[in-house]
Amino acid sequence: MTTVSMTVNGTKVSRDVEDTTFLAFFLRETLGLTGTHVGCDTTQCGCCVVLMNGTSVKSCTVLAAQAEGADVTTIEGLAKDGELHPVQRAFHECHALQCGFCTPGMIMAGVDLITNYPGTLTEGVVRHEMEGNLCRCTGYHNIVKAVLTAAAEMRPAKTAAE
Ligand code: FES
Ligand code: FES
């Protein structure tokens, strides 16, 4: 066992966990934050993406102990004061989900892309950069549209139609 301490969605938490506990299971089972989904457990689907110190990670592949001292944001931490985050709002408005299983990971990956991508975001860039997120419902067209819609709001000078 090891004691891990981190900040999750703005709240400091400290828990004893098995050394082999992955962050996804720490979030879901220890903290009860089940918005982070586990679709494959083998680093392929992206359903488990959360932000760690502002950068997206596949939390099924990060040990909870590796997040010691980190600032972690899950899908539950995006909305502020009852207002959806622009990426959440864009997914709603663009009908970018079907079953919704991939949606938390897609949104968190979209937030990272919009926040951290240094160049101009185009449809091609979004498709390429988010290839690590799979949608079993194959709703990619509207997912890409939603990310670009949010990007146009959040960083208009660095977003372009192709
Ligand atoms: S559950 Fe982490 S990549 Fe699929
Ligand atoms: S909306 Fe069903 S997996 Fe993407």
Side-chain angles (χ1 to χ4, degrees):
M1 296 288 277
T2 187
T3 303
V4 295
S5 302
M6 65 188 82
T7 301
V8 179
N9 299 332
T11 300
K12 288 191 186 308
V13 298
S14 188
R15 298 283 193 282
D16 292 335
V17 296
E18 297 285 347
D19 295 350
T20 53
T21 300
F22 284 103
L23 181 59
F25 296 95
F26 177 74
L27 293 169
R28 286 179 57 82
E29 295 171 8
T30 305
L31 301 184
L33 296 170
T34 54
T36 298
H37 293 166
V38 176
C40 68
D41 213 358
T42 52
T43 329
Q44 296 178 70
C45 74
C47 291
C48 62
V49 169
V50 301
L51 301 182
M52 195 164 115
N53 297 326
T55 301
S56 61
V57 296
K58 288 180 171 174
S59 63
C60 73
T61 316
V62 176
L63 290 168
Q66 289 177 292
E68 171 66 28
D71 191 0
V72 174
T73 305
T74 70
I75 190 73
E76 289 93 341
L78 278 192
K80 295 280 181 255
D81 302 323
E83 292 286 325
L84 291 179
H85 185 280
V87 181
Q88 290 176 303
R89 188 160 17 90
F91 268 67
H92 174 67
E93 290 170 356
C94 296
H95 308 289
L97 59 144
Q98 294 177 56
C99 78
F101 199 83
C102 71
T103 309
M106 288 285 187
I107 289 176
M108 300 313 288
V111 170
D112 177 18
L113 181 59
I114 293 168
T115 306
N116 296 321
Y117 190 74
T120 300
L121 278 185
T122 62
E123 178 181 340
V125 169
V126 173
R127 287 184 184 277
H128 178 74
E129 293 293 321
M130 291 186 59
E131 66 182 7
N133 287 73
L134 305 180
C135 176
R136 69 189 75 188
C137 300
T138 68
Y140 295 107
H141 287 307
N142 284 357
I143 289 168
V144 172
K145 194 170 144 193
V147 172
L148 287 170
T149 298
E153 176 183 336
M154 293 169 65
R155 43 179 283 168
K158 282 190 160 187
T159 305
E162 279 186 334

